Amino acid sequence: MRYPLAASMLALALLAGCSSTPMTSDQGASVEDRTASSAGAIPTVRPDQMQGAGLAALRDPNNILSKRAIMFDYDSFTIRGEFMPLVEAHGRFLAANPQMKMLIQGSADERGSREYNLALGQKRSDAVKKSLMLLGAKEAQIESVSLGEEKPQCTERNEACYAENRRGEMLYAGEF
Amino acid sequence: MKLTDLFRYLLITLLAATALSARAQLSIEITGAGANRFPVAIAVMEGESQLPRGVTDVVRGDLERSGLFSLIEMGPKPVGETATPDFAYLRTRGADAIAVGTVVPAQSGKYELRMRLYDTRQEAQLDALTLTMTPAQYRITGHKIADIIYERITGLKGVFSTQIAYVVKSGKQYKLQIADSDGANPQTALASNEPIISPSWSPDGTRLAYVSFEAKKPVVYVHTLATGLRAVAANFKGSNSAPSWSPDGSRLAVVLTKDGLSQMYTVNPDGSGVTRLASSSSIDTEPAFSHDGQWIYFTSDRGGSPQIYRISTQGGRAERVTFDGSYNVTPRPSPDGQTMTYIARTANGFQIAIMDVATRQFAVLTDTGRDESPSFAPNSRMILYATEIGGRGVLAAVSSDGRIKQRLSVQAADVREPAWGPLPR
């Protein structure tokens, strides 16, 4: 029972962070600038050593942010309703953590040309990228690429497997 | 099939199986042959026992596998290059041509192979040549002789001394391999734990462009085979794929997503000089230059389903090339400019098709349903492609008239993404 509670509290925290940011953005930015210049300290960004509470959330199996895969219908590049909460959570997370970088790997099922499937996978990763940007993620934070049919999650030949392989996978720096 | 032929076939299969267990190389099996095979006799070459293996077997194997020749049994007795063949006897045996040869020691450990080809009906010499070789070069020497015989008799360039590139997947390992056209001497140019696709030979045969996923995304590399040195030809934000050389080797057509959808560009092989080739609001991919460099054939879904189009390399409007069916992809124009091979989705699945460029008439050449990645031999006569048999990836080849069929497989591994190399220079 405590897991759903923790998850919803974190979601609330994220929502709060997200909604309050635009209103106080000017003041917040100036304070940060002063601190940085007066101290003279330049922070070291280590993309492969993720830190902070938000980063733990990425690994917490009970947090929606630990889920990364979005499945697509055949010949489709539309994010289905069931995956919108997941995309929203990552979009807000990226917006709230501008130092975070993401690689989205799109995939296609194995039927047909490898190169054409690479292009289809790209359309899927691009669709995820666009949705994340609508939620406040910055273009510079996200690279959308395609694995085509080359890295299937499921290797059987049936519709369930093909559906599993038509996907977009969201990976943060250090995870790929 | 005559008993002697059957015996030879079994022997070749046995030899191939022996070689396979030793080197895990591609073994070739003929699954269909030409209707009218040219009867030719290849006598055992005099003096070839000085070499580690016989040249004669290499020549015979090449001609046999081509599906265009039937070999007339000549017995184990060598016939030297200076002997005048017994034309009357050869005619009674049904041989329309005979090749004879002699291997003699030359300077500094090398050998000289002198060979003559005769027309038994005209009783005339068709060709004569001398090749210098090291003992270890018995295979390439045999391929060169088979090329000469093939060219003299069919009028087309022989492709036995060419190489092929392909990707072998075993477990989680991917290997980009280069082998002789008969599958012998496989060498690994790149071994990776990430996928490798779309190898494309430079026109001079010294370099391969390909897509490797070693950076967790598709990046186009140009790999110089002799040195193993690699240059990044395209690594822009997004995906980089589908490399294809211009006929003069100066440019590479590639597909990039840096400006949005998969779109076609050209780059220099060192990655400089990026130029957009065309602009569309759809997927444009799988570019391939025509033999004269005038056209780029490509796959696009601009009409709602993936179809083949072509666009002038000088620019202008794209012209649709395929109209039948809802899925026609991977266009590969033939080196002679006459035809184009591609993958068509039919009622039987994904199959190799060929289209006459002038008339736009087309035909399906295969009876398998998971064909992909067709690649023309440099003489435009055969098409090498990937397919699947018994749940395993194999390479296969089909003649442009659909009659001759070969299968090339490696035990316990998936083979895919073949690319037939150019004629040696």
Side-chain angles (χ1 to χ4, degrees), chain A residues 113 115 122 143 146 151 157, chain B residues 194 198 217 239 286 388:
Chain A
S113 150
E115 282 286 354
Q122 183 71 34
E143 180 172 15
S146 179
K151 301 277 275 186
R157 288 223 169 110
Chain B
E194 297 295 338
S198 305
K217 59 175 268 188
S239 298
E286 303 189 304
E388 208 182 273

Side-chain angles (χ1 to χ4, degrees), chain B residues 356-372:
Chain B
D356 184 296
V357 169
T359 66
R360 300 277 163 98
Q361 287 193 302
F362 65 93
V364 171
L365 297 179
T366 55
D367 44 24
T368 35
R370 289 183 173 274
D371 304 343
E372 55 186 34

Side-chain angles (χ1 to χ4, degrees), chain B residues 156-412:
Chain B
L156 293 167
K157 284 276 182 197
V159 293
F160 303 115
S161 46
T162 56
Q163 291 184 302
I164 56 172
Y166 51 88
V167 175
V168 179
K169 182 183 184 229
S170 44
K172 293 196 166 168
Q173 258 246 321
Y174 298 82
K175 284 182 181 168
L176 175 62
Q177 295 200 316
I178 316 295
D180 296 347
S181 68
D182 61 355
N185 298 324
Q187 297 179 76
T188 302
L190 180 70
S192 175
N193 290 323
E194 297 295 338
I196 305 161
I197 62 167
S198 305
S200 172
W201 287 89
S202 65
D204 66 1
T206 62
R207 292 178 287 178
L208 272 181
Y210 53 78
V211 178
S212 167
F213 290 75
E214 63 203 64
K216 312 295 175 187
K217 59 175 268 188
V219 172
V220 177
Y221 297 85
V222 169
H223 188 130
T224 303
L225 294 171
T227 61
L229 292 177
R230 302 197 297 161
V232 172
N235 183 12
F236 295 93
K237 193 173 182 185
S239 298
N240 310 266
S241 69
S244 172
W245 294 82
S246 66
D248 67 0
S250 68
R251 300 283 283 172
L252 267 180
V254 292
V255 170
L256 310 176
T257 65
K258 68 187 185 75
D259 301 316
L261 278 165
S262 300
Q263 294 277 290
M264 301 185 295
Y265 301 75
T266 56
V267 295
N268 293 325
D270 66 0
S272 63
V274 187
T275 310
R276 191 145 181 178
L277 197 56
S279 282
S280 78
S281 55
S282 56
I283 289 174
D284 290 350
T285 188
E286 303 189 304
F289 285 87
S290 61
H291 71 296
D292 55 7
Q294 297 297 300
W295 298 95
I296 300 263
Y297 285 76
F298 63 100
T299 304
S300 177
D301 67 352
R302 61 187 64 195
S305 67
Q307 297 290 344
I308 293 162
Y309 295 75
R310 69 175 190 176
I311 193 165
S312 166
T313 43
Q314 308 303 309
R317 275 173 54 98
E319 175 191 351
R320 186 163 167 176
V321 176
T322 54
F323 292 90
D324 285 76
S326 61
Y327 193 102
N328 295 295
V329 298
T330 326
R332 295 290 177 248
S334 67
D336 66 7
Q338 304 290 305
T339 59
M340 168 189 85
T341 183
Y342 59 102
I343 301 293
R345 187 170 61 196
T346 68
N348 296 324
F350 299 96
Q351 298 191 287
I352 302 289
I354 192 165
M355 177 181 278
D356 184 296
V357 169
T359 66
R360 300 277 163 98
Q361 287 193 302
F362 65 93
V364 171
L365 297 179
T366 55
D367 44 24
T368 35
R370 289 183 173 274
D371 304 343
E372 55 186 34
S373 308
S375 171
F376 265 110
N379 65 1
S380 303
R381 170 82 194 171
M382 296 293 287
I383 298 160
L384 182 64
Y385 61 99
T387 189
E388 208 182 273
I389 289 163
R392 210 152 57 81
V394 300
L395 304 186
V398 62
S399 59
S400 51
D401 62 6
R403 289 179 181 223
I404 299 162
K405 291 189 165 93
Q406 303 168 342
R407 189 182 305 164
L408 304 81
S409 55
V410 171
Q411 270 181 339

